[in-house]
Amino acid sequence: MRALGPRLVRSPLLRSRLIGWRARPIEGNVCDESLAVLMGIGDLIGATDIAGGSPEQGRLTMAESQLMIEDDACPDVHVQDLVLEQGGARVPARKYVPRGLSKPSPGIVYYHGGGFVLGDLDTHDRHCQHLARDASARVIAVDYRLAPENPFPAAVDDATLAFRCVARRANDFDMDPTRLAVMGDSAGGNLAAVVARKTRNDTQRPALQVLVYPAVDGSCAMKSHKTFGQGWLLTTESMEWFYHHYVGDDPAARRQVDVSPLFADDFGGLPPALVYTAGFDPLRDEGMAYAERLEKSGITVRQHCFGSLTHGFAAMGGLCAAAREAAQHISRDVGRALREGLSARTENAA
């Protein structure tokens, strides 16, 4: 199963027949061929949008598809399950430690993506292994509660508790409490941004927030949602499905700051930020807008758009060389920022 995805996208016949209309430039970007073939295969087999099924079906689909696109395991990274506890609450987590890493090291509290409904420690396990290795940091991934069984604000509560617990016990985890980041992809990027806000006045606050194609605007009204809402993996229907399960259908509820941090009135006091977006992603514009709001508020920000990639690329290293290189780029940026600090720079799309 793990080798099937790469074999399919490397087939010259499939590449020529399935890339199809996705070979056309959009807004100056051309989609990576491997990802275009993957989406073409979905067209060919009539893949059903996740919004057409139940949360249980969606979770199974995500777990199965991840096996086809994820990178290889890192044998030089030690993996350990644990439980984070504070005030009687318990949140499952998983710790990643690269072999030979000195003590104390920078630390990353990681929140997985999946629209607040899908995903778990296993779907992002390989990704976190590579993150720990390439950032030269200890990583703790958080298994926060999912909707609809546990709707908003359960995920926010778990995510915040997890960071505070790690910060309080940083020495126990061999982490430097002054060099801790909150990081996540998609819905996890939302949680990282929300936790950065909720802990900005804590004695031990994040030194860095890392947002990878973050979902920060529950209204889903920006131009990129219209441009890339069909045919580019993450669809308009699936975004509606995710928010419906997470917070309901009231537009006002979706604009709450802890759901849509882009709508906050005050960005002061937040930690420096690394913000990454993808060129063929409905969430592209809101991620860029969030970086701009931070920058206008005097927060040090570095943003980078990977112009040829789609939503979800960070966990597609086994399928797409450009996605693997992008994930390595991000991980090394994070490690460098935690060691050396962050200077503001906006990078060109790649």
Side-chain angles (χ1 to χ4, degrees):
M1 175 72 77
R2 197 175 302 280
L4 178 60
R7 278 206 307 272
L8 287 173
V9 299
R10 290 169 188 158
S11 164
L13 178 61
L14 279 174
R15 293 184 85 87
S16 63
R17 296 183 62 180
L18 295 176
I19 290 175
W21 62 271
R22 293 184 178 91
R24 296 196 301 267
I26 299 179
E27 299 180 355
N29 292 321
V30 176
C31 186
D32 178 88
E33 286 191 359
S34 296
L35 298 180
V37 169
L38 173 68
M39 291 179 280
I41 292 171
D43 296 342
L44 183 67
I45 65 176
T48 303
D49 191 289
I50 205 163
S54 67
E56 293 79 8
Q57 291 170 326
R59 291 164 189 160
L60 181 60
T61 297
M62 182 177 184
E64 291 176 340
S65 63
Q66 196 60 40
L67 293 174
M68 298 178 62
I69 61 177
E70 65 186 2
D71 214 335
D72 294 333
C74 295
D76 53 347
V77 174
H78 177 69
V79 181
Q80 177 188 2
D81 286 341
L82 52 90
V83 176
L84 302 173
E85 299 184 63
Q86 186 164 296
R90 296 164 54 90
V91 179
R94 186 171 291 170
K95 182 181 177 184
Y96 300 84
V97 183
R99 183 179 301 163
L101 186 63
S102 61
K103 305 177 184 179
S105 73
I108 301 168
V109 179
Y110 193 88
Y111 308 110
H112 67 78
F116 310 103
V117 178
L118 315 178
D120 55 29
L121 297 177
D122 291 334
T123 59
H124 285 62
D125 183 68
R126 299 291 178 87
H127 174 57
C128 287
Q129 291 180 36
H130 285 264
L131 171 63
R133 185 194 66 188
D134 295 336
S136 295
R138 287 172 168 82
V139 174
I140 293 183
V142 180
D143 196 17
Y144 58 87
R145 287 171 291 171
L146 299 177
E149 296 88 345
N150 298 281
F152 173 83
V156 170
D157 291 344
D158 288 356
T160 306
L161 180 150
F163 174 77
R164 285 176 169 155
C165 182
V166 171
R168 177 174 53 84
R169 297 184 53 202
N171 292 331
D172 296 337
F173 295 125
D174 298 320
M175 293 176 173
D176 181 345
T178 68
R179 295 186 292 168
L180 295 179
V182 285
M183 178 176 180
D185 64 286
S186 193
N190 171 293
L191 293 173
V194 171
V195 171
R197 171 174 297 280
K198 295 180 80 68
T199 60
R200 60 180 165 172
N201 295 320
D202 287 9
T203 301
Q204 293 175 298
R205 70 176 201 143
L208 181 71
Q209 53 180 317
V210 185
L211 316 180
V212 182
Y213 35 81
V216 289
D217 176 2
S219 71
C220 301
M222 291 195 170
K223 179 183 176 184
S224 58
H225 278 276
K226 298 177 177 63
T227 304
F228 303 108
Q230 300 296 330
W232 300 101
L233 293 182
L234 181 63
T235 67
T236 298
E237 291 77 15
S238 61
M239 287 300 300
E240 176 62 27
W241 186 82
F242 287 136
Y243 278 115
H244 166 76
H245 285 307
Y246 183 50
V247 74
D249 300 323
D250 180 2
R254 296 188 185 190
R255 294 177 67 92
Q256 296 175 78
V257 173
D258 284 352
V259 176
S260 296
L262 182 62
F263 294 132
D265 294 327
D266 177 17
F267 283 72
L270 294 175
L274 292 169
V275 182
Y276 301 94
T277 53
F280 291 84
D281 183 0
L283 304 189
R284 183 197 63 192
D285 290 357
E286 62 193 74
M288 290 181 168
Y290 194 74
E292 291 168 4
R293 289 290 306 275
L294 289 168
E295 193 169 29
K296 287 179 180 178
S297 298
I299 308 302
T300 301
V301 180
R302 185 180 299 173
Q303 64 168 307
H304 183 113
C305 180
F306 294 94
S308 68
L309 301 182
T310 65
H311 191 81
F313 70 77
M316 296 182 181
L319 175 81
C320 172
R324 181 168 58 252
E325 292 165 4
Q328 290 173 344
H329 176 118
I330 292 170
S331 298
R332 290 167 182 164
D333 276 358
V334 175
R336 189 180 307 113
L338 285 172
R339 286 177 170 81
E340 303 173 7
L342 188 65
S343 59
R345 185 175 78 236
T346 298
E347 301 177 349
N348 294 328

